[in-house]
Amino acid sequence: MITIAMTTGFVLILIGLYGALTNTNILRMIVSFTIASTGVNVVLVSVGYMPGRTAPILDDAVPVGSATTSIIDPIPQALVLTAIVIGLGVTALMLAYAYRLFRIRQTLDISKIVELKW
Amino acid sequence: MIRKFASVVLLLILGYAFYSLVAGFVPDGELNRSAAYYAENTARETGAQNIVTAIIVTYRGLDTLGEVTVLFLTAAIVAQVLSHSRAPAGTRGSGFLPAGELLETGTRLLVPLILLFGVYVFVNGHLTPGGGFQGGAILASAMLLLLLADPMRRFSHRLIAKVESISGLTYVALGVMGLVLAGGFLDNRILPLGQFGALFSAGAIPLIYSLIGLKVGAEFSSMLESLEETEDR
């Protein structure tokens, strides 16, 4: 179960990086980065999973006394919550800059933007 | 062609590294030390049922303040970058087709429900899965629905800015009160912990998470609005 989730996450990272490396359209690159960051989040959450345990919420199913033996690791989940929110901010920034670039250059194709090439 | 080949080779190497990570991964048999500390002491120290919420709002509260600040900066930069190309008032920024009867009528029914759900999610953040960030995102999705139904609609920037700055200031003020009245910055024990599992429990956590929810909702809404108001030519 963990292996499946983790493999899915790593495959998503690879797909995202492949898309970001091979596409020249900036919008496609942004979508690729979003896929890769989703993959990172899936991997992080799956690292915190432990077989036979339940979510870190102390309700009727998890008495307070036995919490240490019946919940999964809550720290990766807190970390991923942060990562998702920051990822959204990064995506919004990338889109805004892509828009500015388009207004200035009238193109979204990075192979036509050659100032930083050597 | 060479470029594509090089990137495939690179990704194969990376994929091999990932493979060895997955193959050698053994899940922990028991919680590590910090996780075990949170599992044992969350109920007693913070009174929150949801341990993830306790970590985000109380144990690592300063990080969350930083995270909200990063989001605020993002919203501000997006607005600033796009402000040069704002569409004149009264015109639609983008050349969308009319939304249609279904979407417009559905929006009137759904928006209050979505707003209510968002508020439910962040008010119950200490009891159920959910919290300020999720609830804020749900609030912003109601705004997105409004914009989809009527692309000409303009929300008041001043109202959004007011909601955001007031909730941000109150958040910091609650943190400072924790410094004075309880154990440290953003300590939730400035209010009584109450009965474990009740809505009004866990000290200041529901209050802080509601403020975060309002702030995040306002920030996402302002980003959506900046993107929507931009004209495309």
Side-chain angles (χ1 to χ4, degrees):
Chain A
M1 186 60 210
I2 305 178
T3 329
I4 297 172
M6 213 176 252
T7 315
T8 313
F10 280 133
V11 169
L12 281 176
I13 296 176
L14 290 177
I15 292 174
L17 287 180
Y18 177 78
L21 284 172
T22 52
N23 281 304
T24 52
N25 185 311
I26 282 194
L27 286 182
R28 285 168 178 254
M29 292 169 82
I30 293 174
V31 173
S32 306
F33 276 119
T34 321
I35 293 172
S37 82
T38 309
V40 172
N41 293 337
V42 172
V43 170
L44 278 177
V45 168
S46 69
V47 167
Y49 181 76
M50 294 150 90
R53 297 193 178 208
T54 181
I57 293 174
L58 304 168
D59 54 4
D60 303 334
V62 186
V64 176
S66 68
T68 26
T69 55
S70 54
I71 62 165
I72 60 172
D73 193 346
I75 298 172
Q77 306 200 355
L79 200 73
V80 166
L81 179 55
T82 312
I84 290 173
V85 174
I86 299 301
L88 186 131
V90 170
T91 310
L93 269 187
M94 285 197 289
L95 285 173
Y97 286 132
Y99 175 80
R100 284 303 293 166
L101 197 67
F102 179 74
R103 285 303 296 269
I104 293 167
R105 300 303 182 87
Q106 300 298 325
T107 177
L108 283 172
D109 189 348
I110 53 160
S111 61
K112 296 208 176 80
I113 300 169
V114 290
E115 279 87 349
L116 290 176
K117 266 196 174 168
W118 68 84
Chain B
M1 201 56 220
I2 298 172
R3 245 181 59 123
K4 217 164 198 171
F5 181 70
S7 42
V8 168
V9 169
L10 208 69
L11 289 175
L12 278 179
I13 299 172
L14 195 61
Y16 179 71
F18 286 161
Y19 169 75
S20 58
L21 279 181
V22 175
F25 180 75
V26 184
D28 290 346
E30 53 187 44
L31 294 177
N32 56 44
R33 270 177 64 200
S34 45
Y37 178 86
Y38 292 141
E40 268 169 31
N41 298 306
T42 295
R44 187 170 49 80
E45 288 181 351
T46 69
Q49 278 194 333
N50 187 342
I51 298 180
V52 177
T53 298
I55 294 176
I56 286 179
V57 180
T58 303
Y59 290 119
R60 312 295 313 165
L62 193 61
D63 298 359
T64 307
L65 185 60
E67 187 187 350
V68 176
T69 314
V70 168
L71 260 193
F72 164 72
L73 273 178
T74 311
I77 294 173
V78 168
Q80 201 252 332
V81 166
L82 295 179
S83 65
H84 298 291
S85 27
R86 182 168 299 163
T91 59
R92 57 183 61 189
S94 40
F96 284 159
L97 294 168
E101 192 71 31
L102 267 182
L103 188 56
E104 275 168 16
T105 316
T107 302
R108 279 206 291 277
L109 172 71
L110 282 178
V111 164
L113 291 178
I114 296 177
L115 288 178
L116 190 67
F117 180 58
V119 172
Y120 170 82
V121 165
F122 66 63
V123 167
N124 282 286
H126 58 306
L127 304 176
T128 56
F133 293 101
Q134 299 90 322
I138 295 172
L139 290 188
S141 73
M143 300 296 142
L144 178 63
L145 190 57
L146 282 175
L147 281 177
L148 283 179
D150 181 9
M152 309 265 266
R153 184 187 288 270
R154 293 287 175 268
F155 304 115
S156 156
H157 271 294
R158 284 181 64 184
L159 178 70
I160 291 180
K162 252 185 200 139
V163 169
E164 184 178 352
S165 48
I166 288 175
S167 49
L169 273 178
T170 322
Y171 182 19
V172 177
L174 281 175
V176 174
M177 269 167 71
L179 212 55
V180 178
L181 301 173
F185 189 64
L186 283 171
D187 195 329
N188 70 324
R189 285 171 292 188
I190 51 176
L191 297 170
L193 289 188
Q195 195 205 343
F196 185 68
L199 179 58
F200 294 102
S201 67
I205 286 183
L207 206 58
I208 291 176
Y209 232 8
S210 304
L211 291 170
I212 293 178
L214 285 176
K215 192 164 163 57
V216 169
E219 276 154 3
F220 284 179
S221 308
S222 91
M223 279 186 220
L224 285 176
E225 207 188 345
S226 316
L227 287 170
E228 167 63 30
E229 278 180 4
T230 310
E231 61 185 342
D232 59 354
R233 260 185 302 160

